[in-house]
Amino acid sequence: MNPGGMDMQALLQQAQQMQQQLAEAQEALDEAEVEGTSGGGLVKVKLSGRGQVEDITVDPKAVDPSDAEETAQTVADLVLAAIRDAEAQVERLQQEKMGPLAEGLGGGGMPGMPGGGGMPGLPGF
């Protein structure tokens, strides 16, 4: 009989299962790719499931050769908006893949991690 009422074997087994689930979720995020868009598709940004920018595409229609200064600012704004769109999708994907693990820890996230998360390379965790 364990004086604390805790079955250490069961706790270790649960920790191993959670570690396996975490590894599987991280692998799924490594393989995932999301695309953010802005300007009705004039700018597209691809991010990995971990939030790293993989590619940026700017449609030539976004460029007005008669006004380079205005075009430069417009394209910069469109790129920023597309990145934000993609980041929001990455956050939703991470919640989908990692959320159940946080719930399995009593909703508090990973023990010992500030704010219940803070995993390097995983914004929002």
Side-chain angles (χ1 to χ4, degrees):
M1 188 90 182
N2 190 339
M6 298 173 92
D7 182 351
M8 287 304 290
Q9 184 65 29
L11 285 174
L12 287 173
Q13 191 173 32
Q14 183 180 11
Q16 287 176 333
Q17 287 174 343
M18 291 184 74
Q19 186 175 18
Q20 176 67 27
Q21 291 171 341
L22 178 62
E24 289 170 2
Q26 288 175 332
E27 185 177 333
L29 289 174
D30 285 341
E31 295 171 0
E33 185 176 89
V34 299
E35 182 176 90
T37 62
S38 67
L42 289 176
V43 174
K44 297 177 183 176
V45 175
K46 289 184 183 177
L47 267 61
S48 73
R50 290 188 181 241
Q52 293 180 317
V53 176
E54 301 289 332
D55 189 36
I56 298 175
T57 305
V58 178
D59 189 310
K61 294 177 204 162
V63 178
D64 179 0
S66 67
D67 191 353
E69 189 174 328
E70 181 68 28
T71 293
Q73 185 58 54
T74 299
V75 170
D77 291 343
L78 289 172
V79 168
L80 183 58
I83 289 172
R84 288 182 177 156
D85 181 47
E87 287 175 336
Q89 292 182 54
V90 165
E91 189 171 330
R92 284 191 296 272
L93 178 65
Q94 289 175 348
Q95 287 292 336
E96 176 187 317
K97 299 293 182 192
M98 304 295 279
L101 293 172
E103 290 171 16
L105 294 167
M110 297 295 288
M113 295 199 173
M119 294 180 136
L122 293 175
F125 291 97

